[in-house]
Amino acid sequence: MRTLGRCGGSDRSRVIGRTERAAFIDRDGPIPGALMVDGFAAGAWHVRRQGADATIVIRPFRPLRPADEAAVRDEAYAMLRFSRPAATGRGVDLERPSAQRQAKSTMIGAWSEGIPG
């Protein structure tokens, strides 16, 4: 997929910087999905299920350009049609990056400079 995908392989440095890589680690382990825009990590996503409905929740690290936002929504709906064909309802929840999340990303970037590549 062009904008939603999983990072495979051992060397991810060309598609995800130290700041973004650190943002994918949570106290419970890695976050399941990487939002990729123009070949670079731009956020995280997961599927939320409620009954027979499925929604992809997308959390960008930074604001997306309008064209990228439209492409991300299109890809998310395509992902739901493929991965949840039996879902009665499908939705995309594209969250706006909060100032707190952007600040956290900056702090994580400063902290992650000490993480071996």
Side-chain angles (χ1 to χ4, degrees):
M1 295 230 170
R2 191 169 59 87
T3 53
L4 290 171
R6 297 187 183 272
C7 291
S10 60
D11 181 15
R12 298 176 178 98
S13 62
R14 66 185 180 83
V15 298
I16 186 167
R18 288 179 182 265
T19 301
E20 292 81 9
R21 183 178 66 181
F24 278 95
I25 303 300
D26 168 299
R27 67 180 165 182
D28 297 324
I31 296 172
L35 169 65
M36 306 295 288
V37 175
D38 294 331
F40 297 96
W45 64 272
H46 68 276
V47 177
R48 180 179 63 217
R49 286 176 254 173
Q50 187 172 14
D53 297 339
T55 300
I56 288 188
V57 179
I58 302 168
R59 292 186 173 157
F61 296 140
R62 291 175 270 296
L64 300 174
R65 295 177 301 196
D68 291 334
E69 188 174 313
V72 166
R73 285 183 184 281
D74 290 346
E75 290 286 332
Y77 277 111
M79 173 78 84
L80 282 173
R81 286 190 301 273
F82 173 77
S83 66
R84 304 291 190 266
T88 304
R90 295 183 191 97
V92 174
D93 182 2
L94 181 58
E95 297 180 354
R96 299 285 173 222
S98 66
Q100 180 181 7
R101 192 175 325 136
Q102 291 181 51
K104 180 180 177 184
S105 179
T106 303
M107 288 187 300
I108 289 171
W111 168 79
S112 69
E113 292 303 315
I115 297 174

